[in-house]
Amino acid sequence: MMRLPPFRYLAPRSVAEAVRQLADHGPDAMVVAGGTDLYPNMKRRQFEPRVLVGLRGIRELAGIRGSARQGMVLAAGATLTQVSNHPEVLRHYPAVARAADLVSTPQLRNMGTIGGNVCVDTRCNYYNQSYAWRKAIGFCMKKDGDICLVAPGSDRCLAISSSDTAPVLWSLGASVRLVGPKGERVIPISALYQDDGIQYLTKAADEILTEIVLPPVDGLRATYWKLRRRGSFDFPVLGVGVALRMEGEVCREARIVLGAVASQPREAADAGRLLVGERLTPELIDRVAEAAAKPSKPLDNTDLVYHYRKRMTRVYVARALRELAGLPVGEFPLGMTARN
Amino acid sequence: MPEFLTLRVNGEPVQVIAPVHKTLLEVLREDLGLTGTKHGCELGECGTCTVLVDGEPVLSCLVLPVECQGQEILTVEGLAASGRLHPLQQAFAELGAAQCGYCIPGILLTSKALLDASPQPTRDEIREALAGNLCRCTGYTKILEAVELAALRMAGEERAAAGGLGARAAGQGGGR
Amino acid sequence: MSPKEELAVIGKPLPKVDAWEKVAGDTRFADDLFLPRMAYAKILRSCHPHALIKRIETSRARALPGVYAVITGADFPPVKFGIMPTSQDEEVLCTEKVRFVGDPVAAVAAVDEETAERATELIDVEYEVLPTIMSIEQALAQEKVRIHEYGDGPNIHKAVSLEFGDVEEAFRQAHLVREDVFYFEGNTHLPMEQHAAVARWGPDGKLTLWSSTQTPHYVHRAMAKVLGLPMSHVRVIATPNGGGFGGKSDPFSHEMVVARFAQLTGRPVKCTLTREEVFYCHRGRHPVLMWVKTGVTKTGEILGMHFRSWLDGGAYGSYGVASTYYTGVLQTSTYKVPVYKFEGMRVFTNKPPCGPKRGHGTPQPRYALECHLDKIAADLGLDPVELRRRQLVDEFSMTANHLTITTCGLGECIDKVVEASGWRDKFRKLPPGRGVGFAASAYITGAGLPIYWNKMPHSGVIVKIDRGGGVTVFCGSTDIGQGSDSVLAYVVAEVLGIAPEDIRVVTGDTDLTPVDLGSYSSRVTIMTGNAAKEAAEKLQGLLFDAAAKKLDVPPSALEARARRIFVRDDPDKGMSFPDAAQLAEAAYGTLAAAGSYTPPMRGGKFKGSGVGPTPAYSYSACVVEVAVDPETGEVRPVEIWIAHDVGRAINPLLVEGQVEGSIYMGLGEALMEEQVFRKGLHKIPSMLEYKSPTTLETPEIRTVLVETLDPEGPFGAKESGQGPLLPVIPAIANAVYDAVGVRVDEVPITPEKVLKGLDLRAQGKEPRVGPERVPAARFPEPIRVPLPGEDSTLEAQATIYRRAIHRREGPRS
Ligand SMILES: Cc1cc2nc3c(=O)[nH]c(=O)nc-3n(C[C@H](O)[C@H](O)[C@H](O)COP(=O)(O)OP(=O)(O)OC[C@H]3O[C@@H](n4cnc5c(N)ncnc54)[C@H](O)[C@@H]3O)c2cc1C
Ligand code: SF4
Ligand code: FES
Ligand code: FES
């Protein structure tokens, strides 16, 4: 049986109390929400916090509120199931519902939170292994070692951002509220990330993410496409979040954000620009998809061959755009077996 | 440090003294003797350890008992209310849906949650609900059929719902 | 009355006898056992794929509070073990050398698992690292690096070569001679239950081991050997297995470790493997490289076939000698192959040992053969089904390699599956991206020989009747989910005229039950079934004699049914089963009887003839429809139709369950499951990254059962647990070809391989993805075996069979 290392468990009743506890214990402490990312990692000893600050009992962190007109707020503690089943989210932000619904399995979505999903650890198949396995191959810099086994010349860790919801949230222009000992701040979600497999979040360790703020819908149309082998369990090995603001037939604003191609969600800004002021013709879509695939630089550290994943970037971006343009997309791939 | 905890398991309050870092799976099996809950990975990757917490399927290998205090925990041992098998259990037994049976406690509980929320699911809905429970024996076919049969019986559309324990209800299986 | 209706229990879709406890969560698997004062063991495993052990220092581990004992290989007598007598190459804990990452090196018993685990990390092992061998090519090229000192050559565990008739001559006669090369990547069983074992050392100096094993008898032997104990002081109890599929058929290190710890500490000791360790125990599907050459006539009749296979065996022997032969023997069991040559070779590599997985050694060559025939059909412009249908083996015949075929329902299977799938309207007629593929196969119903040479029965059953009419059946077999306990109950219930629920089945306990060799090679239904039938018939004789006296009729006038024994022509005249039991016990003493089963001695008189013969072959035919996405290369099975000749379905529900489970496993192997390595380590030893299909990847499966009532089987039964896996994989490959014109000659058929094929096609190149070449043949001189002549004894036997069937079952419709 894989077991957790020992720790103390604190159950604060408010965000303020949680922030205080985090500050009190400094680097010894970590927050845990659903635990679906942190506990497996702790069992493999990627993290060995002495103190866990559990967020489950905090009322403020529960619930989904707001409207299409004003924008919606997803509290960090909302489970992925709550997000994907919420009638308003489903109606007005179907891409968010779909991304949440495409995470792993029903059980994990009942446990995992949207806040945890946004903060989910980066992944690498040299790293998501047991302690004994990592010791056998030689520890890498993300934990216990000092080199990168995927790219031995690299001075930073190249583990992959693997959140399903982050690319969509970024494409929609969502923001996150962070609360720390020095107060709170709201930043665009794009500013939450940085391209470093270890320090993939810009948030301070003692800051708690309390909510995700979705902008008013206002003509935004978005979708999410996910590449993986199976229709459940599997993390994305490529995620494509696309949001367009349409004025009639013409695209006024476009954001294409790729997941699982770098240590952070990666916006294909050049490709997005090609869409602005244009109609979504099949020809344009192909050109945009071609451009979007450029920043996609997968490495050999997750499932499926990396050149295949690179090649699929073009296909998946094209299909996502075709879906938004109302063009036929063929059968949905197996990895997309979702209700939404 | 061992902690003193009060949980509600299968409708009864139980007291446990266990270190806080023991998962619900470990406490159920090792401290409460409820070995009906199985495990295949302990990392959230197979669904074998599924139990219901307040009616929702969760993975007992990734949840701590402290996190379930005040909630209703249901394990396979609690599925047969007062000694009568749940219609799902009855249907699984009759249709041969349990081969080695190792994945079955988790699958029964996930299926119960499904039928409680959606009493007449389509086959695709059942597939989606069970997409987080691996089974290596059955190819899922008989499992899907058993959930359908249980749903029918629970809806009272099948007279055989009156069938009791044991092989008396046998022979109704295999219908397709 | 049709013969089927005459039977009260056999052929009925009854629940399994253990179904109720399984759905109630009551079944006690090995890890569910908790004994008072129990200690927990953990094994330290090698972190190098290939290294010499220089020194093991355990003092820091011993000093950790809560640790009861630490052992290394030095704590065992210096004997090696292994499942095959010729491959005794494993140590409980390695003493001199480790051969793969995961090889056991030392072990700790402690107050709990956490402590045991922490202590293993305090054991210091000094290694001298050796060069590693990770592929068939490397094994053959690096003669200086030797993983083992024994075998048929440097890093060659086994090399065989058999020739039945002159293949070269056959090729000269042929209208078309085709050669193909295929590769089948290794994969693993992934039973949901991780292996576990509990040992207890009694104050009487005797050992009890509970283990999730498919082969308690072989574990019993290995245990006694390794621990230096008399077999009579060792009791092995096979707990219900949470899935096996062949992965729990070897004696394992952790079983011996808990036993030694129990001796040393005087406590019960448990060891439950983690999922990662289960990947290291492995014994799964061998990676096999294959070359096949066949000569056919203009109309596709096979004139001769030459098959070569190279198996990547991993670090130890396991069942490998048998596996090697199995990649070559069953090619002749479906279609007439008048002349046949087989050369096979198993090499050692620094990976977890391969062994028997569902279909043991035959899915790989079946994949090669069925794709090869598909290509031949395409070359000749023939329908691939027709090509095969025309040249099926005859019933009651003998193959070129001296295999005896009894019943064969393959023709009927093909017809049924072609009909059900709408093959004729689909093959070459579906829109682009959609396709259908066909394949057929055969599988053994139990091996003709035991693992170690002896003349004793392969299966024994004792049936006992108590005064209240309760019946207990004792048998050494192990239920791994396939329903073998239920089969025992059904057979005995049928003969004694009672209901299966009146029977208690006691199995898999070397103290209580007579030997059965284990749950492997699809032997359990036929062997335990026949033994149980014999035992029950002896008791039926006693009951009938006693009842006949009382009723004053001849025993032959009696029938047993519905818990009564009565006069067949005057059913009111009779008595209850318990009354008959009491009369019989009064007349003859305690009511118990034993039955035994030994398979018929068959096969030729040449070295290697022991693998392949079986009492009877099962047959399957399969059609798969797939959708292939031309942009992503993704292959989605849409629907699968299979017809399986099971001889007789003792319980159609359980047979369907075996068929569906086999299809599922074949599907995973065909499309996504693969055991791959990087830098000497298993790349993905987890349930998340080793891709096992979920409900969403498993399509609708349509099963048709075909019954041929084989004279060898109990009530005519053959097998269903393994055979139906075989045709699925080639049928999918052939369907992909029908859908997009790409040949993927390498399993698994991943999206990137399909895309590569599509690219080649777009470039006007041969749209084939797969291995390009095979190693230079270094096989031994072939043993030249004369073809079986017109064998008169066989024909005579066949006539007897046919008469026997007719008498027992009535004419076959
Ligand atoms: C088998 C398996 C499959 C998975 N598949 C997917 C998948 O397909 N897609 C996917 O996106 N994810 C997947 N996951 C990862 C994970 O389950 C989800 O991302 C989930 O949403 C994480 O949420 P959580 O609440 O459980 O996070 P936790 O495990 O509680 O936390 C994750 C991390 O975020 C931090 N954190 C959590 N909440 C906050 C907060 N409010 N403020 C600050 N920091 C916080 C924690 O400290 C921790 O570092 C999978 C996990 C497993 C085990
Ligand atoms: S990318 Fe390199 S450093 Fe980062 S986890 Fe993988 S191997 Fe380690
Ligand atoms: S044991 Fe596998 S998901 Fe919990
Ligand atoms: S019945 Fe064996 S794993 Fe599902």
Side-chain angles (χ1 to χ4, degrees), chain A residues 3 45 130 231 308 332 334, chain C residues 113 121 276 632 636 697:
Chain A
R3 289 170 196 268
R45 286 194 267 158
S130 71
Y308 175 78
F332 275 83
L334 278 172
Chain C
E113 250 188 337
E121 286 162 17
E276 184 177 342
T632 63
R636 183 201 304 253
E697 288 75 46

Side-chain angles (χ1 to χ4, degrees), chain C residues 71 97 126 226 256 264 274 277 307 312 387 443 488 552 578 625 663 666 673 693-694 727:
Chain C
I71 56 173
K97 185 168 162 171
E126 201 182 297
V226 167
M256 328 262 173
L264 289 173
T274 62
E277 288 179 289
F307 200 97
D312 177 347
L387 174 111
Y443 197 66
L488 287 168
D552 200 19
E625 182 173 338
I663 298 269
E673 294 183 35
T694 73

Side-chain angles (χ1 to χ4, degrees), chain C residues 389-566:
Chain C
R389 184 76 179 81
R390 242 184 248 159
Q391 47 186 331
L392 302 179
V393 292
D394 290 326
E395 289 202 305
F396 302 102
S397 66
M398 192 174 265
T399 67
N401 56 341
H402 297 246
L403 303 179
T404 302
I405 309 288
T406 57
T407 55
C408 170
L410 184 52
E412 191 179 341
C413 288
I414 293 178
D415 296 344
K416 291 239 157 96
V417 90
V418 160
E419 176 71 33
S421 63
W423 169 266
R424 288 192 190 87
D425 300 327
K426 290 180 175 164
F427 180 61
R428 295 201 187 124
K429 296 190 183 121
L430 291 173
R434 281 263 175 162
V436 286
F438 173 86
S441 66
Y443 197 66
I444 57 168
T445 306
L449 295 179
I451 295 290
Y452 66 99
W453 171 244
N454 72 82
K455 291 186 169 172
M456 291 174 280
H458 291 213
S459 194
V461 168
I462 295 172
V463 179
K464 167 197 137 271
I465 305 181
D466 81 24
R467 293 178 184 181
V471 170
T472 312
V473 181
F474 299 88
C475 177
S477 59
T478 309
D479 204 315
I480 59 173
Q482 84 280 43
S484 58
D485 282 8
S486 302
V487 168
L488 287 168
Y490 302 148
V491 167
V492 171
E494 183 68 53
V495 174
L496 295 180
I498 55 179
E501 62 263 33
D502 303 341
I503 295 175
R504 179 166 299 281
V505 181
V506 178
T507 51
D509 181 330
T510 60
D511 265 14
L512 301 184
T513 61
V515 166
D516 173 78
L517 295 179
S519 289
Y520 65 93
S521 84
S522 283
R523 52 176 297 290
V524 186
T525 294
I526 195 166
M527 301 205 191
T528 69
N530 276 327
K533 193 154 171 280
E534 182 184 304
E537 280 167 354
K538 284 182 187 167
L539 289 174
Q540 189 205 52
L542 296 180
L543 296 174
F544 278 15
D545 282 350
K549 281 205 189 90
K550 173 93 176 181
L551 298 170
D552 200 19
V553 293
S556 59
L558 293 177
E559 188 165 323
R561 216 181 167 92
R563 300 189 175 109
R564 286 183 74 240
I565 288 175
F566 55 90

Side-chain angles (χ1 to χ4, degrees), chain C residues 149-160:
Chain C
E149 294 306 322
Y150 80 104
D152 288 347
N155 297 317
I156 297 172
H157 175 212
K158 185 75 193 168
V160 301

Side-chain angles (χ1 to χ4, degrees), chain C residues 709-727:
Chain C
L709 308 183
D710 196 278
E712 295 289 348
F715 302 97
K718 301 199 276 194
E719 76 86 45
S720 63
Q722 309 194 73
L725 178 145
L726 303 171

Side-chain angles (χ1 to χ4, degrees), chain B residues 97-104 107 134-138 143, chain C residues 192 242-243 245:
Chain B
Q99 285 193 21
C100 79
Y102 198 79
C103 66
I104 294 300
I107 289 188
L134 287 179
C135 170
R136 287 290 283 178
C137 294
T138 61
I143 289 172
Chain C
M192 293 306 295
F245 317 113

Side-chain angles (χ1 to χ4, degrees), chain C residues 336-392:
Chain C
K336 286 184 191 129
V337 181
V339 175
Y340 182 60
K341 182 172 180 183
F342 166 61
E343 292 163 303
M345 173 178 290
R346 182 180 192 262
V347 302
F348 289 121
T349 54
N350 294 117
K351 303 188 212 171
C354 298
K357 182 185 170 192
R358 208 171 199 167
H360 192 187
T362 70
Q364 302 96 324
R366 182 53 61 180
Y367 158 68
L369 177 62
E370 296 293 319
C371 293
H372 177 63
L373 290 177
D374 217 61
K375 296 183 189 193
I376 289 176
D379 289 347
L380 296 174
L382 297 171
D383 179 286
V385 175
E386 266 316 300
L387 174 111
R388 292 165 169 99
R389 184 76 179 81
R390 242 184 248 159
Q391 47 186 331
L392 302 179

